[in-house]
Amino acid sequence: MGKKYYIKTFGCQMNVYDSQRIAAMLKNLGYEKAATPKAADLIILNTCHIREKAAEKVFSDLGRLNLVKQERAEEGLDTVIGVVGCVVQAEDTEIAKRAPFVDFATGPLTYHRLPEILTRVARKRGISIIDTEFPAVAKFDFLPENKAEGGLSYLAVQEGCNNFCTYCVVPYTRGVEYSRPVAEVLKEAKRLVDTGSVEINLLGQNVNSYHGEDENGKERNLAYLLRRLSEIDGLQRIRYTTSYPADVDDDLIACHRDLKKLMPYLHLPVQSGSDKILKAMNRRHNSADYLRIVEKLQQANPNLRMSSDFIVGFPGETDDDFRATLDIVNRVKYIQAFSFKYSRRPGTPAAVMDNQIEEKVKKERLEILQNLLFSYQLKFNEECLGKTMPVLFESKGRHAGQLIGRTPYMQNLHAELNKTNLNKIINVKVTEATANSLSGEVV
Ligand code: SAH
Ligand code: SF4
Ligand code: F3S
């Protein structure tokens, strides 16, 4: 019997992408996917360090996995437990201390060494192997070729961040910015399309600061990459995420006018509407800059709608600062958003600022903000009633005969449709709308 693996993924889409690449690597080594941790010889947690809660969840999960390891040992079965992702980069010694039963830990930039790590683990059982250096070579060169797993594929084109927002751990966990060469990206994209994807979502911590080399060694920006990608036959939809507002250039704005394949939805995190707070966060935009960028983008494509991330209760945030955040929401009318209470992250400058906000205030502000965001989300969904939209169906619904897909605006849409339509784009008329999803009928 072949060995089985189980991967649990926390965090952002970049982690989802990394987990897919890890799975492909394990399949090359002869592993098969297990349905549960209990059925797996190798259990991997792909972790996120962005907020305290996410990081703590890793340790509670590891506790549970240790029990699984013990249960399996009673049945005479060996289990290897590995931790990968951003928590490893930030808390390697903590993992060794709090979870000594972990067999190996490797950071987000070193997981291409997994085959070698697994061989070493097999040789010296019980000794943790921790690999957290920032390597000089790009992991992408060492990963086996991936294939489409559905109609939508993620494709990492850029990794790392040089922005050092004062609240954020990402520059410390993912390292400095790195852009993959243009040819490599195009090759991966073509392979994903040839194996069944119709939509590609380009990923990067700072995707619009992409500056990869082309075939002649010339540095190219994200706009260039988007134009080249849009020439791929069979690729119908392109998205990119996440963008840093100050790095949106005119070239990129023009893509939203010119490229039909580029979806009319952009995630452009503003974080706060207060200029004082934006400055304290070390964001390189103020609220007027941000609004100007959104206006230009929507002039280029009047159908474009925005989403964002928000942090409430950043150190020093007053009621007036918070009202400025509500103001910007009222101006931009985001159709989706993620909002968080500020979380103090060890090692970041904001964690030691002395004007920290009380938990109670953070909670109140988050609730007010989320209610407002929710109202715009519902309003937009209701505006879609009666409209026909192309929907990419990605998964089966809760009931038999139902599929769930995404509209161009990333709304979830349910429709009665048989499963031969999975991974295809189909025109659907929207018949029902709630704040979180749409229902529709095939036209
Ligand atoms: N590179 C992206 C964001 C990556 S992190 C950007 O610059 O927009 C995803 C989101 O997590 C951030 O946009 C931010 O809203 C949130 N976040 C990051 N650090 C946080 C912290 N310490 N507390 C609360 N939210 C945080
Ligand atoms: Fe974090 Fe800021 Fe970099 Fe985004 S731009 S990853 S929020 S440091
Ligand atoms: Fe989390 Fe790392 Fe992504 S900290 S949000 S998994 S880059």
Side-chain angles (χ1 to χ4, degrees), residues 50-51 165 167-170 205-206 242-244 269 271 283 309-311 338 340-345:
I50 201 82
R51 283 167 292 275
C165 301
Y167 50 81
C168 183
V169 295
V170 171
Q205 263 83 38
N206 239 312
T242 295
S243 298
Y244 186 75
Q271 311 297 356
R283 299 287 282 182
D309 294 341
F310 294 92
I311 295 176
F338 300 95
F340 312 99
K341 288 183 285 186
Y342 167 69
S343 169
R344 265 171 115 159
R345 307 309 289 127

Side-chain angles (χ1 to χ4, degrees), residues 65-129:
L65 291 180
N66 191 28
L67 297 179
V68 171
K69 188 172 182 161
Q70 286 166 15
E71 277 171 40
R72 284 175 51 91
E74 280 160 24
E75 296 164 25
L77 299 167
D78 261 348
T79 315
V80 172
I81 297 181
V83 187
V84 301
C86 292
V87 171
V88 178
Q89 207 64 44
E91 300 195 42
D92 49 349
T93 49
E94 197 72 357
I95 292 172
K97 211 163 59 197
R98 289 174 67 181
F101 51 86
V102 165
D103 296 280
F104 70 88
T106 183
L109 304 178
T110 40
Y111 66 75
H112 59 279
R113 296 180 187 154
L114 207 55
E116 178 202 325
I117 292 173
L118 289 173
T119 316
R120 279 162 62 200
V121 168
R123 263 192 245 126
K124 11 178 196 168
R125 308 250 18 153
I127 301 165
S128 287
I129 292 169

Side-chain angles (χ1 to χ4, degrees), residues 213-229:
E213 280 186 4
D214 73 5
E215 293 83 342
N216 303 314
K218 186 170 170 189
E219 257 192 25
R220 299 291 193 167
N221 59 13
L222 183 66
Y224 176 85
L225 194 61
L226 290 172
R227 290 206 158 85
R228 293 283 304 268
L229 283 163

Side-chain angles (χ1 to χ4, degrees), residues 6-23:
Y6 185 90
I7 306 179
K8 183 166 176 183
T9 309
F10 300 90
C12 61
Q13 281 160 340
M14 191 68 105
N15 261 13
V16 175
Y17 175 84
D18 288 339
S19 288
Q20 287 175 350
R21 307 269 343 213
I22 290 170

Side-chain angles (χ1 to χ4, degrees), residues 298-311:
Q298 292 186 326
Q299 272 166 5
N301 180 359
N303 293 323
L304 184 72
R305 296 291 178 276
M306 309 300 298
S307 81
S308 179
D309 294 341
F310 294 92
I311 295 176

Side-chain angles (χ1 to χ4, degrees), residues 181-295:
V182 171
E184 202 185 295
V185 173
L186 292 175
K187 195 171 150 213
E188 186 167 330
K190 281 185 190 132
R191 192 166 65 234
L192 293 169
V193 171
D194 287 345
T195 51
S197 282
V198 288
E199 174 173 325
I200 289 182
N201 194 337
L202 303 180
L203 297 182
Q205 263 83 38
N206 239 312
V207 70
N208 63 326
S209 67
Y210 176 86
H211 54 265
E213 280 186 4
D214 73 5
E215 293 83 342
N216 303 314
K218 186 170 170 189
E219 257 192 25
R220 299 291 193 167
N221 59 13
L222 183 66
Y224 176 85
L225 194 61
L226 290 172
R227 290 206 158 85
R228 293 283 304 268
L229 283 163
S230 72
E231 289 163 7
I232 298 178
D233 284 336
L235 177 59
Q236 297 180 54
R237 292 178 164 190
I238 304 173
R239 305 178 189 274
Y240 61 92
T241 194
T242 295
S243 298
Y244 186 75
D247 291 340
V248 174
D249 58 17
D250 288 343
D251 222 3
L252 188 58
I253 292 172
C255 287
H256 284 275
R257 183 192 60 216
D258 301 338
L259 302 181
K260 292 283 159 292
K261 293 181 180 180
L262 197 54
M263 288 293 100
Y265 171 90
L266 186 62
H267 186 61
L268 192 64
V270 68
Q271 311 297 356
S272 166
S274 153
D275 292 344
K276 180 191 94 189
I277 295 297
L278 287 169
K279 191 151 185 244
M281 286 176 163
N282 192 33
R283 299 287 282 182
R284 280 184 283 115
H285 59 88
N286 61 28
S287 57
D289 298 331
Y290 182 87
L291 288 168
R292 211 174 306 120
I293 295 162
V294 171
E295 194 187 322

